Amino acid sequence: MKQFLNFIHGEFVATGKTFPNRAPVDNRVLGLVHEAGRAEVDAAVASARAALKGDWGRLSVVKRVDMLYAVADEINRRFDDFLQAEIADTGKPLSLASHIDIPRGAANFKVFADIIKNVPTESFEMVTPDGGSAINYGLRTPLGVIAVVCPWNLPLLLMTWKVGPALACGNTVVVKPSEETPATATLLGEVMNRVGVPPGVYNVVHGFGPASAGEFLTRHPDVDAITFTGETGTGEAIMGAAAKGVRKVSFELGGKNAGIVFDDADFDQAVAGITRSAFENCGQVCLGTERVYVQRGVFDTFVAALKIKAEALKVGPSEQAGVGLGPLISAEHRDKVLGYYRKAVEEGATVVTGGGVPAMSGALAEGHWVQPTIWTGLPESAAVVREEIFGPCVHIAPFDTEEEVIALANATDYGLATTVWTQNLGRAHRVARQVEVGICWINSWFLRDLRTAFGGAKASGIGREGGVHSLEFYTELRNVCVKL
Ligand code: NAD
Ligand code: 6OD
């Protein structure tokens, strides 16, 4: 039986306590995860602290950058190992993991290595009271030991999105992957050792949130900052932990994202775009669209076209040719999503398509499958229109005017992302200015330039990462004033 071990001070560490890691496609046990207790979390944090004061802390930026390039190259050399680990843990289609998850896992190291090498700090010259002068310049110093707490939907991508810049800035990290997806974070430990990253720079502790590794780590007094991706409620708990010691936080949280389709949109492009934003990764993308608003003139044709697309999605295991939809991550999550499917009907929805569980044969019948689902006819107050479901489902409602749809899109506590479909340039810019979100895509979705600001407004997050914004979070900016 495969063992998923903690990675502490460059070594793989077993503990006396394990829990099973299950495959979403058929619920079989993939291996046993060794849960870290307080002792392992203490050891990981102490090792990370020591590395800051040791070889890693003394490394020049140029050498650090070379090492991060080597990490990226080694991920690419072991591409298939990462791919197999990720699809086993998540059940997502191989085509998706091989085009997005694993390449981004490598790119997250290269991009931030380039940014730390190339982005300057500020400098000001001043006249001093004695008529002389002084210069000021900014110096970026590492924050220290960073706790990185991750979700299960894009495990390698979202973890390295934080580990890449944290290490580029000279910090050390202790990662707590999701209990559902321990594999790729563990595998990255092998990569770190292979390319010579000093022990303690990258550590992994496995386990759950409350009363487990997640809480032990985020409450640890020797952790300097916490970067977290996950549910808004978990963010609230972690923020409470971070208050003790006034630690810095960066939060990427939940969403209830709107898709807006105007009647002047390129219709086929809009249908294809919303198909992706609603159903990719089986709807388990924080940026995904769960509320679609379509201008009344094209409403009926849009609903019919999206129905055809949803019904054409092939549901199946990762490696089967043509598969577009995998399972949900766990039995618990499937039950939650199916609970919303029932609630939609109770609240009076018209089920355009889906709403249940697809028939799967053999061992796959034990997997966590649900049908891609489209509803219409619900009021804005309905639970499935208000609450984040994180499944392959959308509610579609008609609208008449630009002002009306902006108000509808903004009528939520969340503020992560919006996708807007229109060929009217002026309208596109007007809407982008008024939607209360961190990311607004026009005629596109999940198109990523890693130099840009990424994060959520309102209950969808605190802070921005990406490009210089990551440097702002992962460093302490010191002003040095030199009297000349
Ligand atoms: P989650 O909040 O349940 O868990 C995320 C991580 O936090 C896991 O590693 C978990 O073990 C840990 N955790 C849970 N409770 C904790 C606690 N009290 N203290 C410390 N750690 C704790 O989220 P999830 O179910 O893994 O992921 C799905 C959620 O993540 C959705 O809400 C989704 O919108 C959100 N998400 C947001 C983004 C973004 O960029 N905004 C990206 C991906 C996912
Ligand atoms: O692309 C990224 O950098 C990113 N953080 C994506 C988040 C996706 C959420 O599920």
Side-chain angles (χ1 to χ4, degrees), residues 84-389:
Q84 290 307 324
E86 202 73 311
I87 63 179
D89 259 2
T90 60
K92 66 177 72 192
L94 184 139
S95 54
L96 182 64
S98 61
H99 283 94
I100 295 190
D101 299 66
I102 312 305
R104 265 294 301 279
N108 284 336
F109 286 98
K110 283 200 170 153
V111 166
F112 289 103
D114 288 342
I115 288 171
I116 197 71
K117 206 167 60 176
N118 293 312
V119 171
T121 55
E122 62 193 20
S123 166
F124 293 99
E125 198 174 337
M126 67 186 282
V127 176
T128 53
D130 63 1
S133 66
I135 52 167
N136 295 273
Y137 65 92
L139 197 61
R140 291 199 180 280
T141 61
L143 266 185
V145 176
I146 314 281
V148 181
V149 183
C150 308
W152 43 258
N153 59 326
L154 302 158
L156 181 70
L157 185 159
L158 290 174
M159 186 258 292
T160 53
W161 168 243
K162 291 172 178 303
V163 171
L167 298 192
C169 292
N171 302 285
T172 56
V173 298
V174 181
V175 174
K176 212 299 278 172
S178 168
E179 51 274 37
E180 307 287 356
T181 50
T184 46
T186 311
L187 202 49
L188 193 59
E190 291 179 22
V191 167
M192 296 290 174
N193 279 351
R194 163 99 183 191
V195 306
V197 172
V201 173
Y202 173 80
N203 303 275
V204 179
V205 289
H206 290 298
F208 304 88
S212 182
E215 188 176 335
F216 301 154
L217 178 61
T218 51
R219 289 197 177 276
H220 200 292
D222 209 25
V223 161
D224 297 296
I226 303 165
T227 179
F228 167 72
T229 304
E231 283 185 15
T232 297
T234 310
E236 287 173 351
I238 291 178
M239 200 160 172
K244 181 90 180 153
V246 199
R247 274 95 49 80
K248 202 171 173 185
V249 295
S250 174
F251 283 172
E252 293 174 6
L253 308 176
K256 188 72 187 178
N257 309 304
I260 302 175
V261 180
F262 286 98
D263 59 9
D264 60 17
D266 177 320
F267 186 81
D268 292 342
Q269 233 182 47
V271 173
I274 297 288
T275 303
R276 272 191 68 222
S277 69
F279 303 126
E280 191 153 278
N281 207 33
C282 200
Q284 302 166 118
V285 182
C286 60
L287 310 158
T289 306
E290 290 190 355
R291 302 182 287 147
V292 185
Y293 299 101
V294 181
Q295 209 156 15
R296 201 170 299 275
V298 291
F299 179 78
D300 289 338
T301 41
F302 185 90
V303 172
L306 199 70
K307 172 178 158 57
I308 291 170
K309 290 280 191 190
E311 290 173 356
L313 283 171
K314 185 171 167 187
V315 181
S318 314
E319 276 151 323
Q320 210 173 78
V323 160
L325 203 82
L328 293 171
I329 191 69
S330 63
E332 188 190 354
H333 190 49
R334 178 202 53 203
D335 293 347
K336 174 183 160 188
V337 171
L338 289 177
Y340 277 110
Y341 283 15
R342 282 192 297 277
K343 200 162 205 168
V345 174
E346 283 159 23
E347 289 186 312
T350 299
V351 181
V352 176
T353 187
V357 175
M360 306 299 285
S361 59
L364 294 180
E366 301 302 315
H368 314 132
W369 311 94
V370 295
Q371 290 174 323
T373 295
I374 301 172
W375 303 291
T376 56
L378 285 172
E380 289 296 299
S381 56
V384 302
V385 183
R386 307 229 58 77
E387 297 168 19
E388 184 187 49
I389 301 171

